[in-house]
Amino acid sequence: MARGNERGGGDRRDRNRGNPADDRADSDIVEKLVHINRVAATVKGGRRFSFAALMIVGDQKGRVGFGHGKAREVPEAIRKATEEAKKSMIRVPLRESRTLHHDGNGRWGAGKVMVRAAPPGTGVIAGGPMRAVLETLGVQDVVGKSVGSSNPYNMVRATFEALKAQASPRQVAAKRGKKVSDVIGRRSDGASAESTVAADAEG
C-alpha cells in the first residue's frame, strides 16, 4: 500500500508540472507595468479600496498587447492585466526588425501621438507609456511624440491605433495587385519610399 501511495503522489506531481512548451512560450514574452492606481468604491459601510493596473506585454519581435485589471490586491490586479494583454496582442510589421515602415499618427480620446521611422543608431526616443509599448514591441530605432493627454490609458490606446495603421510594402502591393518592386521604386530615396507607399495605400 505504501508503494502505491508513493507512485500516486509522484504521478500527481508530474501532472502539475505542465507543458514545457507553454513555459518556453511564456518565457519569450516581456511584461512591463505602465501604471497602477488606487481606486475607491463607496459602499454602505464606507469606501472600499482596490487597485487598477495597466500592463504591456510583447515578444520584442513584432507582437505587442496591453491590458488592464482591477483587484483588491496589487499582485492580483497585475495578473489580471497581464492575462488580458496576452489575449489582445497584435502583430506590427517592422522594417529590418528594428524600426517602423512609415510615419503614423494615433488618437484615442484626448490622447494624440506621433511615431516616425528612424535610421540605425537613433534608439527609442519616446517617454512614458509610449516608450514601454515601443520597447516591448521590439523597435530599436523610432521617434515618438505625445501631443495630447498625458493619461496613460489614452496614450497607450493612441499608440496602438498608430501601430495598427502600419503597413509593409508587401501588404500594400498585395492590396493593389502589384509587385513590391513596383511600389517601392516610385521614390529614389530608400528611406522615404515606403512612407510614400503607405500614404498611397491610405489614399
Side-chain angles (χ1 to χ4, degrees):
M1 293 296 293
R3 284 196 297 270
N5 291 336
E6 289 174 1
R7 285 199 300 271
D11 293 340
R12 282 193 297 270
R13 285 195 297 269
D14 292 339
R15 286 195 297 267
N16 292 334
R17 287 176 185 172
N19 189 354
D22 296 339
D23 297 338
R24 287 195 297 270
D26 291 340
S27 64
D28 295 337
I29 294 180
V30 178
E31 304 172 359
K32 288 196 176 186
L33 175 63
V34 174
H35 183 71
I36 190 160
N37 186 33
R38 192 179 75 164
V39 295
T42 303
V43 294
K44 186 176 181 180
R47 289 199 296 177
R48 185 175 61 197
F49 293 97
S50 58
F51 295 91
L54 177 62
M55 292 288 296
I56 305 292
V57 302
D59 60 359
Q60 294 185 328
K61 297 177 182 178
R63 296 178 66 230
V64 66
F66 77 97
H68 56 88
K70 187 187 297 182
R72 299 291 296 273
E73 301 293 336
V74 174
E76 182 66 13
I78 293 176
R79 185 191 65 80
K80 288 182 178 180
T82 303
E83 288 184 356
E84 181 180 333
K86 290 180 180 179
K87 294 178 182 178
S88 64
M89 293 180 72
I90 63 172
R91 181 171 293 280
V92 181
L94 299 179
R95 184 173 69 188
E96 301 173 0
S97 301
R98 62 167 187 83
T99 188
L100 303 176
H101 280 285
H102 57 86
D103 303 348
N105 297 302
R107 177 171 182 173
W108 187 277
K112 302 175 186 178
V113 301
M114 175 190 68
V115 291
R116 302 189 65 181
T122 304
V124 179
I125 302 178
M130 281 189 68
R131 185 180 188 90
V133 174
L134 295 172
E135 286 182 345
T136 310
L137 175 63
V139 180
Q140 301 174 11
D141 303 299
V142 68
V143 177
K145 177 70 175 177
S146 173
V147 293
S149 170
S150 60
N151 184 307
Y153 290 90
N154 286 346
M155 288 182 65
V156 168
R157 287 187 170 96
T159 304
F160 269 79
E161 290 299 313
L163 294 176
K164 288 178 182 178
Q166 289 289 315
S168 66
R170 181 177 298 178
Q171 294 172 339
V172 176
K175 186 182 298 184
R176 299 179 63 186
K178 296 187 176 182
K179 296 181 180 179
V180 177
S181 58
D182 296 338
V183 177
I184 298 180
R186 290 172 177 264
R187 292 287 297 272
S188 58
D189 54 336
S192 58
E194 294 171 1
S195 301
T196 304
V197 172
D200 292 342
E202 293 176 358

